Amino acid sequence: MAKEKEESVQISRRTTRSSATAYNNNGIESAKPNVSHTPTLDDLVFGQEPISLDDLLSSFPGRRVQILELLRLLGTINSSMPPLFIYGSASTGKTSIVLQIFRRLSRPFVYTSCLSCYSPRILFESILNQLLLHKKNAVNGYSSAKRCEKPSDFVNLLREALTNVIDSLKANLGKTSTTKLKGQVNGRMIYLIFDKFELVREWDKSSSILSFLFGLCDILKMAEVGVIFISNNSLDTYHSNTGYVEPIPVHFPEYTEDDLRQIFMRNQANRKLYSSFLDVVLRPFCRITRRVDELSTAFSMLFKKYCEPLNDLGVVPNEEMKRRLFSHLQPHVAPSLNERFRIASQPSLDCEVNQETRRKGSARKSGASGDLDEIDFHMSTSAKYLLISAFLASRNPATLDASLFDSTGGSDSRKRKRKASEKSIEQKEAAEQELLMKGPGTFSLERLLAIFQCITSVAEDLLGEEEEGNDKLGVELGSNTLMSDVLLQLTSLCNSNFIIKGGSCPLEGSTRYRSTVSEDLSLKVARSVKFPLSKYLYRR
Amino acid sequence: MGRDNPAAEEALNLLRSRLCDPNFIFKPLSDSPDSNYSKLKFLVSSSVTEACNNSILLLGPRGSGKISVLELVLNDLLSEYPETISVIKLNGLLHSDDNCALKEIARQLCVEHQLLFSKMASFDDNSQFMIEMLRECGLAHKTIIFVLDEFDLFAQGKQRLLYSLLDAMQSVTSQAVVIGVSCRLDADQLLEKRVRSRFSHRKLLFLPPSKEDLQRLLEHILSLPIDSNIPHDYAVEFNGKLKNILADGRFKEIINSFVDLDSTVKHLLRFLFRAVSYMNLESGFLSLENFKTALSNSQRQPKQECIKDCSVLELYILVCMKRLEVKEQTSYNFISVMKEYKSIHDSFQTPDYYSRNVCLRAFENLLQRELISFADNRGYSQSVEFRPVKLLISHVELHQGLKSYRSCPAILLKLVER
């Protein structure tokens, strides 16, 4: 659930707390007196009002079975547990459900994500920091409490830290069993949660780290420690040399269409209106994806469009109005299905652009993705030529450059084409297959610049012949042939991923480049500068 | 949970902690004289009493209780001869590096004998210290027991640790036992010649329990003690109901179908844990239903689940890739998959035809689900479209997945069955 995730991110779980809670620190002395806030064991729980079971179930529609199963496996207070392995595809609510369950139980836990802790050392130190209630700040120079790189050191330090924490939990248990305060530690169990566990497989020496982490429970041999792994991929994708004892698997399936409807209906101001909107869009979108995060970005934009004819958003739609809204939305559904789901970094800006294009009545939304079109607009002319020449350099074999770019400006290419098409069909197919597999070819900087010079000179000629009046562009091009400028443009094209820098050539030692632009886009760019690109393309 | 039965809660807690405690589980399997427990205990205690050196390998599949039985033996010996034994435990996952291992040995020896441990000591210092300590302990008639878990991992590299340990044991003055634990049955073949010649080649094999042992084990684990703080009447009733379940033919069937897959004890414990945690707290008794749900929840088919999670578009891509494979195309990438997708659309006029970008996104989702993967690790500079890919599921799996998919387009099934 995207919304729930956002919420839980916003909650400053272990950051500074109001001083009110600092009063009832339960006798655990902080090692650092100069820090204004003394961290306590309470920092290891979720840090918010525990929620009731009904709230928990209702806030995650379609996850009833999984939540109840997890609660049963976690068991009553103080009961030990073998390692759990929670898996399911992205955006099915694994992390947020586990965190909310711990909020309900208010038991202490240590949460680490293998995404932010991207190496064993950082993972180990992050766990120890949380257990030792150590916070990186300016006073300690943002260093960790303990420095440890090897699993062997980690296990010793971890055992020590866990023993301390469990001892104080037990002491707590004896003291405050009668009065229960908000957000107070519950029980003597402590849980280690590893999120995004599938990423560990890509680490160095992943095989030994994997079997170490899977075996952590057996190595520690502490009944008070529970280990929970959260992963995108199932257990059978984890390989290690001599295997491991499998943790208990819990599967989170993808949401069904009905679940998705319930999820999207939550927190809607006008439920009737939104439900009639979902009637229109949910089914076709579900055929493409059932991921909540992708759907919610697509729906938020479509819903705005759906509401456009309405003056009052609080209105309860009747049959006739539904029909009217449907016919208003209908033309937008199919193109938005074919649009790449956008991650709206600046949704307001995006919408404006959309509206503008609509007002102009241009039909450019139909084809390729919108954002590439936008970049196309803002590109300078020389950058466009550079893009075209990079595309040509990637597409055409280097041996044909001389004949394509001779003084006659590519008129020779047609003969070449005919010659090539005389080859037998099988050979042609094989070559085509090879091209498909190889993708765009690489080229050296010199070749790119040579082609660039050729096509800009050709373009000047063309412009001189056809458009007498527009000599402004010609002047601009003339000044753009400066080397330093072109190199700068090349760097910016590289940075925006239109051209990728490949490895250096082993023979020449110079850097090789590769264009990633599709044919459609380069044709479009060529059209915008009136460059006859198809004349220069070598067809097999 | 006020409405729940407190006795049942306590019973559940007890059962759960039992299932997580391997020492409890293996107690009853150690009575008979020809059990691994008795053999191991005899071997170790004789070398302790007769002051000789010894080395043993404990071999068996993962989760068959090697370490647990060893723990039981060591605990018994420690209580029998508290003065003359010190145990050093190493784990191949942690200490496969020689340097690390010697440091850990020195650390544990220091803790054991109340000496000051220096973190800065070098490899040579530590190995000197170890040999010195072995001699001293030998003179004082104290036995040092080295437990090397994941023994096969110590055999990587130059095996300096194993050599220096076993070499030190060749002298008359030292008094040590080296116990290697491994799940590789060929662990002794991994040793170098100089190490192997110093090894005793005693091996203990751990086998999965027999049917009778299993029955005994289940009863031992699941029945409640009569004389504890759990109410007597409740415990008696609980045990009575449990007996009925254990004798039930359907229950035996469940257990058999589970054990057929993997008969190690640890595996069984995970299953029992699941079943026990499903226990109804209101009634407070285990039921056959609990075991049934546990069985269905622990026998998973991850690939089928994964296909069920896919969207219709992702299924189309999978089917396209399968068709390319059937055509015996040696390698293919996203571009060729799209060609196939377009040809399917052209010949069958499917309603699901989306633009390239949308398909690319679905393709990336499939990569993330690990139903497909890149065929090689080279070519990071290439963009996703051009890198060759392969299917990670078999055609049969794909077919089954499509058949069990809730609303699978008929055309896809037709295409796969052809």
Side-chain angles (χ1 to χ4, degrees), chain A residues 69 72-74 76 79-80 82 87 89 152 201 218 233-234 242-243 246 248-249 254 287-288 290-291 294 337-338 341 436-440 500, chain B residues 13 16 62 94 100 104 266 270 273-274 278-279 300 302 305 308-313 331 333 335 352 354-355 358 361 365 368-370 381-382 386:
Chain A
E69 172 152 22
R72 280 179 174 268
L73 287 175
L74 286 171
T76 51
S79 60
S80 35
Y87 69 101
S89 45
S152 53
R201 291 173 305 172
D218 292 332
N233 300 112
S234 53
T242 47
E246 292 196 356
I248 294 183
E254 193 98 34
R287 289 183 83 86
I288 296 182
R290 281 183 288 160
R291 281 178 60 164
E294 288 182 347
L337 276 178
N338 269 333
F341 296 102
L436 276 186
M437 286 314 298
K438 261 202 308 204
I500 331 176
Chain B
N13 257 350
R16 284 171 64 114
R62 230 167 244 288
L94 310 175
C100 219
E104 180 67 19
K266 191 85 167 219
R270 294 277 148 95
F273 182 86
R274 232 186 162 121
Y278 293 150
M279 185 172 97
R300 307 215 75 106
E305 284 168 354
K308 252 177 230 166
D309 281 352
C310 286
S311 67
V312 173
L313 176 59
S331 73
N333 58 15
I335 308 280
D352 301 275
Y354 303 102
S355 79
V358 177
R361 185 64 167 256
N365 279 349
Q368 210 183 6
R369 288 184 205 282
E370 303 200 356
S381 62
Q382 282 278 37
F386 295 109

Coordinates of all heavy atoms in Angstrom, one line a residue, chain A residues 69 72-74 76 79-80 82 87 89 152 201 218 233-234 242-243 246 248-249 254 287-288 290-291 294 337-338 341 436-440 500, chain B residues 13 16 62 94 100 104 266 270 273-274 278-279 300 302 305 308-313 331 333 335 352 354-355 358 361 365 368-370 381-382 386:
Chain A
E69 N -2.2 -14.8 10.0 CA -1.2 -15.8 10.1 C 0.1 -15.3 10.8 O 0.7 -16.0 11.6 CB -0.9 -16.3 8.7 CG 0.3 -17.2 8.6 CD 0.3 -18.2 7.5 OE1 -0.4 -17.9 6.5 OE2 1.0 -19.2 7.6
R72 N -0.4 -15.1 14.4 CA -0.3 -16.4 15.0 C 1.1 -16.9 15.1 O 1.5 -17.5 16.1 CB -1.1 -17.4 14.2 CG -2.6 -17.3 14.5 CD -3.4 -18.3 13.7 NE -4.8 -18.2 14.2 CZ -5.3 -19.0 15.1 NH1 -4.6 -19.9 15.7 NH2 -6.6 -18.8 15.5
L73 N 1.9 -16.7 14.1 CA 3.3 -17.2 14.1 C 4.1 -16.4 15.1 O 5.0 -17.0 15.8 CB 3.9 -17.0 12.7 CG 3.4 -18.1 11.7 CD1 4.0 -17.8 10.3 CD2 3.8 -19.5 12.1
L74 N 3.8 -15.1 15.2 CA 4.6 -14.3 16.2 C 4.2 -14.8 17.6 O 5.0 -14.7 18.6 CB 4.3 -12.8 16.1 CG 5.0 -12.2 14.9 CD1 4.5 -10.8 14.7 CD2 6.5 -12.2 15.1
T76 N 1.8 -15.4 21.3 CA 1.5 -14.6 22.4 C 2.8 -14.0 22.9 O 3.9 -14.4 22.5 CB 0.9 -15.4 23.5 OG1 1.7 -16.6 23.7 CG2 -0.5 -15.8 23.1
S79 N 6.7 -15.6 23.6 CA 6.9 -16.9 23.1 C 8.0 -16.9 22.0 O 8.0 -16.0 21.1 CB 5.6 -17.5 22.6 OG 5.1 -16.7 21.5
S80 N 8.8 -17.9 22.0 CA 10.0 -17.9 21.0 C 9.5 -18.3 19.7 O 8.4 -18.8 19.5 CB 11.1 -18.7 21.5 OG 10.6 -19.8 22.2
P82 N 10.9 -19.5 15.5 CA 12.0 -19.8 14.5 C 12.0 -18.6 13.5 O 11.0 -17.9 13.4 CB 11.6 -21.1 13.9 CG 10.2 -21.2 14.1 CD 9.8 -20.5 15.3
Y87 N 7.5 -13.2 1.9 CA 7.9 -12.9 0.5 C 6.6 -12.6 -0.3 O 5.5 -13.0 0.0 CB 8.7 -13.9 -0.2 CG 8.0 -15.2 -0.4 CD1 7.5 -15.6 -1.7 CD2 7.8 -16.1 0.6 CE1 6.8 -16.7 -1.9 CE2 7.1 -17.3 0.4 CZ 6.6 -17.6 -0.9 OH 6.0 -18.8 -1.1
S89 N 5.5 -10.1 -4.3 CA 6.1 -9.2 -5.2 C 6.0 -7.7 -4.7 O 5.4 -7.5 -3.6 CB 5.4 -9.3 -6.6 OG 4.0 -9.4 -6.4
S152 N 32.4 -12.7 12.3 CA 32.8 -13.2 13.6 C 32.8 -12.1 14.7 O 32.3 -12.4 15.8 CB 34.2 -13.8 13.5 OG 35.1 -12.9 12.9
R201 N 21.8 -11.0 -2.2 CA 22.3 -12.0 -3.2 C 23.3 -11.3 -4.1 O 24.1 -12.0 -4.7 CB 21.2 -12.6 -4.0 CG 20.3 -13.5 -3.2 CD 19.1 -13.9 -4.0 NE 18.4 -12.7 -4.5 CZ 17.4 -12.8 -5.4 NH1 17.0 -14.0 -5.8 NH2 16.8 -11.7 -5.7
D218 N 20.5 -19.9 14.7 CA 21.2 -21.1 15.2 C 22.6 -20.8 15.8 O 23.0 -21.4 16.8 CB 21.4 -22.2 14.1 CG 20.0 -22.7 13.7 OD1 19.1 -22.8 14.5 OD2 19.9 -23.2 12.5
N233 N 11.5 -11.9 -3.5 CA 11.5 -13.2 -4.2 C 11.5 -14.4 -3.3 O 11.9 -14.3 -2.1 CB 12.8 -13.3 -5.0 CG 12.9 -12.1 -6.0 OD1 13.7 -11.2 -5.9 ND2 12.0 -12.1 -7.0
S234 N 11.0 -15.5 -3.8 CA 10.7 -16.6 -3.0 C 12.0 -17.3 -2.6 O 13.1 -17.0 -3.2 CB 9.8 -17.6 -3.7 OG 10.3 -17.9 -4.9
T242 N 26.2 -25.1 0.5 CA 25.7 -26.3 1.2 C 24.3 -26.1 1.7 O 24.0 -26.8 2.6 CB 26.7 -26.6 2.3 OG1 27.0 -25.4 3.0 CG2 28.0 -27.2 1.7
G243 N 23.6 -25.1 1.2 CA 22.2 -24.9 1.7 C 22.1 -24.3 3.0 O 23.1 -23.9 3.7
E246 N 15.6 -24.0 6.0 CA 14.7 -23.0 5.5 C 13.9 -22.4 6.6 O 13.4 -23.1 7.4 CB 13.8 -23.6 4.4 CG 14.5 -24.0 3.2 CD 13.5 -24.2 2.0 OE1 12.3 -24.2 2.3 OE2 14.0 -24.5 0.9
I248 N 10.5 -20.3 8.0 CA 9.1 -20.5 7.7 C 8.6 -19.5 6.7 O 8.7 -18.3 7.0 CB 8.3 -20.4 9.0 CG1 8.7 -21.5 10.0 CG2 6.8 -20.5 8.7 CD1 7.9 -21.6 11.2
P249 N 8.1 -20.0 5.6 CA 7.7 -19.0 4.5 C 6.3 -18.5 4.7 O 5.4 -19.3 5.2 CB 7.8 -19.8 3.2 CG 7.6 -21.2 3.6 CD 8.0 -21.3 5.1
E254 N -0.2 -11.1 -4.9 CA -0.6 -9.8 -5.5 C -2.1 -9.5 -5.2 O -2.9 -10.5 -5.1 CB -0.4 -9.9 -7.0 CG -0.4 -8.5 -7.7 CD 1.0 -8.0 -7.9 OE1 1.9 -8.7 -8.1 OE2 1.1 -6.7 -7.8
R287 N -5.3 -5.4 -16.4 CA -4.7 -6.3 -17.3 C -3.2 -6.0 -17.6 O -2.4 -6.8 -18.0 CB -5.4 -6.2 -18.7 CG -6.8 -6.8 -18.6 CD -7.5 -6.9 -19.9 NE -7.1 -8.0 -20.7 CZ -7.7 -9.2 -20.7 NH1 -8.6 -9.4 -19.8 NH2 -7.3 -10.1 -21.5
I288 N -2.8 -4.7 -17.3 CA -1.4 -4.4 -17.5 C -0.6 -4.6 -16.2 O 0.4 -5.2 -16.2 CB -1.3 -2.9 -17.9 CG1 -2.0 -2.7 -19.2 CG2 0.2 -2.5 -18.0 CD1 -1.8 -1.3 -19.8
R290 N -1.0 -4.9 -11.6 CA -1.8 -4.9 -10.4 C -1.0 -4.3 -9.3 O -1.3 -4.5 -8.1 CB -2.3 -6.3 -10.1 CG -3.5 -6.6 -11.0 CD -4.1 -8.0 -10.6 NE -3.2 -9.0 -11.0 CZ -3.3 -10.3 -10.5 NH1 -4.1 -10.5 -9.6 NH2 -2.4 -11.2 -10.9
R291 N 0.1 -3.6 -9.6 CA 0.9 -3.0 -8.6 C 0.2 -1.7 -8.1 O -0.1 -0.8 -8.9 CB 2.3 -2.7 -9.1 CG 3.1 -4.0 -9.1 CD 4.5 -3.7 -9.6 NE 5.2 -2.6 -8.8 CZ 6.4 -2.4 -8.9 NH1 7.2 -3.2 -9.7 NH2 7.0 -1.5 -8.2
E294 N 2.1 1.7 -9.1 CA 1.9 2.1 -10.5 C 0.5 2.6 -10.8 O 0.3 3.6 -11.5 CB 2.3 1.0 -11.4 CG 3.8 0.7 -11.4 CD 4.1 -0.4 -12.4 OE1 3.2 -1.1 -12.9 OE2 5.3 -0.6 -12.6
L337 N -3.4 4.1 -21.2 CA -3.0 2.7 -21.0 C -1.7 2.5 -21.7 O -0.8 1.8 -21.3 CB -4.0 1.8 -21.6 CG -5.2 1.4 -20.8 CD1 -6.1 0.5 -21.6 CD2 -4.8 0.7 -19.6
N338 N -1.6 3.2 -22.9 CA -0.4 3.0 -23.7 C 0.8 3.9 -23.3 O 1.8 3.8 -24.0 CB -0.7 3.2 -25.2 CG -1.1 1.9 -25.8 OD1 -0.7 0.8 -25.4 ND2 -2.0 2.0 -26.8
F341 N 3.8 4.3 -17.4 CA 3.3 4.8 -16.1 C 4.4 5.8 -15.6 O 5.5 5.4 -15.5 CB 3.1 3.7 -15.1 CG 2.0 2.8 -15.5 CD1 2.3 1.6 -16.0 CD2 0.7 3.2 -15.3 CE1 1.3 0.7 -16.4 CE2 -0.3 2.4 -15.7 CZ 0.0 1.1 -16.3
L436 N 19.2 -7.3 -34.2 CA 18.3 -7.3 -33.0 C 19.0 -7.6 -31.7 O 18.8 -7.0 -30.7 CB 17.2 -8.3 -33.2 CG 16.0 -7.8 -34.1 CD1 14.9 -8.9 -34.1 CD2 15.4 -6.5 -33.5
M437 N 19.9 -8.6 -31.9 CA 20.5 -9.1 -30.7 C 21.6 -8.2 -30.2 O 21.8 -8.0 -29.0 CB 21.2 -10.5 -30.9 CG 20.2 -11.6 -31.0 SD 19.0 -11.5 -29.6 CE 20.1 -11.7 -28.2
K438 N 22.3 -7.6 -31.2 CA 23.5 -6.8 -30.8 C 23.1 -5.4 -30.3 O 23.8 -4.9 -29.5 CB 24.4 -6.7 -32.0 CG 25.6 -7.6 -32.0 CD 26.8 -7.2 -32.8 CE 26.4 -6.8 -34.2 NZ 27.5 -6.9 -35.1
G439 N 22.0 -4.9 -30.9 CA 21.6 -3.6 -30.5 C 22.5 -2.6 -31.2 O 23.2 -3.0 -32.1
P440 N 22.4 -1.4 -30.8 CA 23.2 -0.3 -31.5 C 24.7 -0.6 -31.3 O 25.2 -1.1 -30.3 CB 22.8 0.9 -30.8 CG 22.3 0.5 -29.5 CD 21.7 -0.8 -29.7
I500 N 25.5 6.4 -24.4 CA 26.2 5.8 -23.3 C 27.7 5.7 -23.6 O 28.1 5.3 -24.7 CB 25.7 4.4 -22.9 CG1 24.3 4.2 -23.3 CG2 25.9 4.1 -21.5 CD1 23.8 2.8 -23.1
Chain B
N13 N 2.7 -21.5 24.8 CA 4.0 -21.0 25.0 C 5.0 -22.1 25.3 O 6.1 -22.0 24.7 CB 4.0 -20.0 26.2 CG 4.0 -18.6 25.8 OD1 4.2 -18.3 24.6 ND2 3.8 -17.7 26.7
R16 N 5.8 -23.9 22.1 CA 6.6 -23.1 21.1 C 8.0 -23.1 21.6 O 8.9 -23.2 20.8 CB 6.0 -21.7 21.0 CG 4.8 -21.6 20.2 CD 4.2 -20.3 20.3 NE 5.1 -19.3 19.7 CZ 4.8 -18.5 18.6 NH1 3.7 -18.7 18.0 NH2 5.7 -17.6 18.2
R62 N 21.7 -31.2 6.7 CA 21.4 -30.1 7.5 C 20.1 -30.3 8.3 O 19.1 -30.8 7.8 CB 21.1 -28.9 6.6 CG 21.9 -27.7 7.0 CD 21.9 -26.7 5.9 NE 23.2 -26.5 5.4 CZ 24.2 -25.8 6.0 NH1 24.0 -25.4 7.2 NH2 25.4 -25.7 5.5
L94 N 31.8 -18.2 10.2 CA 32.4 -17.0 10.8 C 33.9 -17.0 10.7 O 34.5 -16.0 10.5 CB 31.9 -16.9 12.2 CG 30.5 -17.0 12.5 CD1 30.2 -17.0 14.0 CD2 29.7 -15.9 11.9
C100 N 41.3 -15.1 11.5 CA 40.1 -14.9 12.3 C 39.9 -16.0 13.3 O 39.6 -15.8 14.5 CB 39.0 -14.9 11.4 SG 37.7 -13.7 11.7
E104 N 39.9 -16.0 17.4 CA 38.7 -16.5 18.2 C 39.1 -17.5 19.2 O 38.7 -17.5 20.3 CB 37.7 -17.0 17.2 CG 36.4 -17.4 17.9 CD 35.6 -16.3 18.6 OE1 35.9 -15.1 18.2 OE2 34.8 -16.6 19.4
K266 N 14.8 -31.1 11.9 CA 14.5 -29.6 11.9 C 13.4 -29.2 11.0 O 12.6 -28.4 11.4 CB 15.8 -28.9 11.4 CG 15.9 -27.5 11.6 CD 16.4 -27.2 13.0 CE 16.7 -25.7 13.2 NZ 17.9 -25.5 14.0
R270 N 9.8 -27.3 12.1 CA 9.2 -26.1 11.5 C 7.7 -26.3 11.1 O 6.9 -25.5 11.4 CB 10.0 -25.7 10.2 CG 11.4 -25.3 10.4 CD 11.5 -23.8 10.8 NE 12.6 -23.6 11.7 CZ 13.8 -23.2 11.3 NH1 14.1 -23.0 10.0 NH2 14.7 -22.9 12.2
F273 N 5.8 -26.4 14.3 CA 5.7 -25.1 14.9 C 4.5 -24.4 14.2 O 3.7 -23.7 14.9 CB 6.9 -24.3 14.6 CG 6.9 -22.9 15.2 CD1 7.2 -22.7 16.5 CD2 6.5 -21.8 14.5 CE1 7.2 -21.4 17.1 CE2 6.4 -20.6 15.0 CZ 6.7 -20.4 16.4
R274 N 4.4 -24.5 12.9 CA 3.3 -23.9 12.2 C 2.0 -24.4 12.7 O 1.0 -23.7 13.0 CB 3.4 -24.2 10.7 CG 3.4 -23.0 9.9 CD 3.4 -23.3 8.4 NE 2.9 -22.0 7.8 CZ 3.6 -21.3 6.9 NH1 4.8 -21.7 6.6 NH2 3.1 -20.3 6.4
Y278 N -1.2 -22.5 15.0 CA -2.6 -22.3 14.6 C -3.6 -22.8 15.6 O -4.8 -22.8 15.4 CB -2.8 -23.1 13.3 CG -2.1 -22.6 12.1 CD1 -1.7 -23.5 11.0 CD2 -1.8 -21.3 11.9 CE1 -1.0 -23.0 9.9 CE2 -1.1 -20.8 10.9 CZ -0.7 -21.6 9.9 OH 0.0 -21.2 8.8
M279 N -3.1 -23.3 16.7 CA -4.0 -23.9 17.8 C -5.0 -22.8 18.2 O -4.7 -21.7 18.4 CB -3.1 -24.3 18.9 CG -3.9 -25.0 20.0 SD -2.8 -25.7 21.3 CE -2.8 -24.4 22.5
R300 N 4.7 -25.1 -0.6 CA 4.4 -24.0 -1.5 C 5.1 -24.3 -2.8 O 6.1 -25.0 -2.9 CB 5.0 -22.7 -1.0 CG 4.5 -22.4 0.4 CD 4.4 -20.9 0.6 NE 3.2 -20.5 -0.1 CZ 2.1 -20.1 0.6 NH1 2.0 -20.2 1.9 NH2 1.0 -19.8 0.0
P302 N 6.5 -21.9 -5.4 CA 6.8 -20.5 -5.6 C 6.6 -20.0 -7.0 O 6.1 -18.9 -7.3 CB 8.2 -20.3 -5.1 CG 8.7 -21.6 -4.6 CD 7.6 -22.6 -4.8
E305 N 3.0 -19.6 -7.8 CA 2.5 -18.4 -7.1 C 2.9 -17.2 -7.9 O 2.1 -16.2 -8.1 CB 3.1 -18.3 -5.7 CG 2.5 -19.2 -4.7 CD 3.3 -19.3 -3.5 OE1 4.4 -18.7 -3.4 OE2 2.9 -19.9 -2.5
K308 N 0.8 -16.7 -10.9 CA -0.5 -16.2 -10.5 C -0.5 -14.7 -10.3 O -1.5 -14.0 -10.4 CB -1.0 -17.0 -9.3 CG -2.1 -17.9 -9.7 CD -2.5 -18.7 -8.4 CE -2.6 -20.2 -8.7 NZ -2.6 -21.0 -7.6
D309 N 0.7 -14.2 -9.8 CA 0.8 -12.8 -9.5 C 0.9 -11.9 -10.7 O 0.7 -10.7 -10.7 CB 2.0 -12.5 -8.6 CG 1.7 -12.9 -7.2 OD1 0.5 -13.2 -6.9 OD2 2.6 -12.9 -6.3
C310 N 1.2 -12.5 -11.8 CA 1.5 -11.7 -13.0 C 0.2 -11.1 -13.6 O -0.9 -11.6 -13.4 CB 2.1 -12.6 -14.1 SG 3.7 -13.1 -13.8
S311 N 0.4 -10.0 -14.3 CA -0.8 -9.4 -15.0 C -0.9 -10.1 -16.4 O 0.0 -10.8 -16.8 CB -0.6 -7.9 -15.1 OG 0.4 -7.6 -16.0
V312 N -2.0 -9.8 -17.1 CA -2.2 -10.4 -18.3 C -1.1 -10.1 -19.3 O -0.7 -10.9 -20.1 CB -3.6 -10.0 -18.9 CG1 -3.8 -10.6 -20.3 CG2 -4.7 -10.6 -18.0
L313 N -0.7 -8.8 -19.3 CA 0.3 -8.4 -20.3 C 1.6 -9.2 -20.0 O 2.3 -9.6 -20.9 CB 0.5 -6.9 -20.1 CG 1.7 -6.3 -21.0 CD1 1.4 -6.6 -22.4 CD2 1.8 -4.8 -20.7
S331 N 19.3 -17.2 -28.9 CA 19.2 -16.2 -27.9 C 18.3 -15.1 -28.4 O 18.2 -14.9 -29.6 CB 20.6 -15.6 -27.6 OG 21.0 -14.9 -28.6
N333 N 16.2 -11.2 -27.2 CA 16.1 -10.1 -26.2 C 14.7 -9.4 -26.4 O 13.8 -9.9 -27.1 CB 17.2 -9.1 -26.4 CG 17.2 -8.5 -27.8 OD1 16.3 -8.7 -28.6 ND2 18.3 -7.9 -28.2
I335 N 13.6 -6.9 -27.9 CA 13.2 -6.5 -29.2 C 12.6 -7.7 -30.0 O 11.6 -7.5 -30.6 CB 14.4 -5.9 -30.0 CG1 15.2 -4.9 -29.2 CG2 14.0 -5.4 -31.3 CD1 14.6 -3.5 -29.2
D352 N -5.4 -7.2 -26.2 CA -4.3 -6.7 -25.4 C -3.1 -6.3 -26.2 O -2.2 -7.1 -26.2 CB -3.9 -7.7 -24.3 CG -5.1 -8.1 -23.4 OD1 -5.4 -7.3 -22.5 OD2 -5.7 -9.1 -23.7
Y354 N -0.4 -3.4 -26.4 CA 0.0 -2.1 -25.8 C 1.3 -1.6 -26.4 O 2.0 -2.4 -27.1 CB 0.2 -2.3 -24.3 CG -1.1 -2.8 -23.6 CD1 -1.2 -4.2 -23.3 CD2 -2.1 -2.0 -23.3 CE1 -2.3 -4.7 -22.7 CE2 -3.3 -2.5 -22.8 CZ -3.4 -3.8 -22.4 OH -4.5 -4.3 -21.9
S355 N 1.6 -0.4 -26.1 CA 2.7 0.2 -26.7 C 4.0 -0.4 -26.1 O 4.0 -1.0 -25.1 CB 2.7 1.7 -26.5 OG 3.2 2.0 -25.2
V358 N 5.0 0.4 -22.4 CA 4.2 -0.3 -21.4 C 4.8 -1.7 -21.3 O 4.9 -2.3 -20.2 CB 2.7 -0.3 -21.7 CG1 2.0 -1.1 -20.8 CG2 2.2 1.1 -21.8
R361 N 8.0 -1.9 -19.4 CA 7.7 -1.9 -18.0 C 7.3 -3.2 -17.5 O 7.8 -3.7 -16.4 CB 6.7 -0.8 -17.7 CG 6.4 -0.5 -16.3 CD 7.6 0.1 -15.6 NE 7.3 0.6 -14.3 CZ 7.2 1.9 -14.1 NH1 7.4 2.8 -15.0 NH2 6.9 2.3 -12.9
N365 N 9.2 -5.7 -14.8 CA 8.5 -6.3 -13.7 C 8.8 -7.8 -13.6 O 9.0 -8.4 -12.6 CB 7.0 -6.1 -13.7 CG 6.6 -4.8 -13.2 OD1 7.5 -4.1 -12.6 ND2 5.4 -4.4 -13.5
Q368 N 12.1 -8.5 -12.3 CA 12.1 -8.3 -10.9 C 11.5 -9.5 -10.2 O 11.9 -9.9 -9.1 CB 11.3 -7.1 -10.5 CG 11.8 -6.4 -9.3 CD 10.9 -5.2 -8.9 OE1 9.9 -4.9 -9.5 NE2 11.3 -4.5 -7.9
R369 N 10.5 -10.1 -10.8 CA 9.9 -11.3 -10.2 C 10.8 -12.5 -10.4 O 10.4 -13.6 -9.9 CB 8.6 -11.6 -10.9 CG 7.4 -10.7 -10.6 CD 6.2 -11.2 -11.4 NE 5.3 -10.2 -11.6 CZ 4.4 -9.7 -10.7 NH1 4.5 -10.1 -9.5 NH2 3.6 -8.7 -11.0
E370 N 11.8 -12.4 -11.2 CA 12.7 -13.5 -11.5 C 12.0 -14.7 -12.1 O 12.4 -15.8 -11.9 CB 13.5 -13.9 -10.2 CG 14.2 -12.7 -9.6 CD 15.3 -13.1 -8.7 OE1 15.5 -14.2 -8.4 OE2 16.0 -12.1 -8.3
S381 N 26.7 -2.2 -20.2 CA 26.6 -0.9 -20.8 C 25.3 -0.9 -21.8 O 24.8 0.1 -22.1 CB 27.8 -0.6 -21.6 OG 28.0 -1.5 -22.6
Q382 N 24.9 -2.1 -22.1 CA 23.8 -2.2 -23.0 C 22.5 -1.8 -22.2 O 22.4 -2.1 -21.1 CB 23.6 -3.6 -23.5 CG 24.5 -4.0 -24.6 CD 24.0 -3.5 -26.0 OE1 23.4 -2.4 -26.0 NE2 24.2 -4.3 -27.0
F386 N 18.3 -4.7 -25.2 CA 19.1 -5.4 -26.1 C 19.8 -6.6 -25.5 O 20.4 -7.4 -26.1 CB 20.2 -4.5 -26.8 CG 19.5 -3.4 -27.6 CD1 19.5 -2.1 -27.3 CD2 19.0 -3.8 -28.8 CE1 18.9 -1.2 -28.1 CE2 18.4 -2.9 -29.6 CZ 18.3 -1.6 -29.3

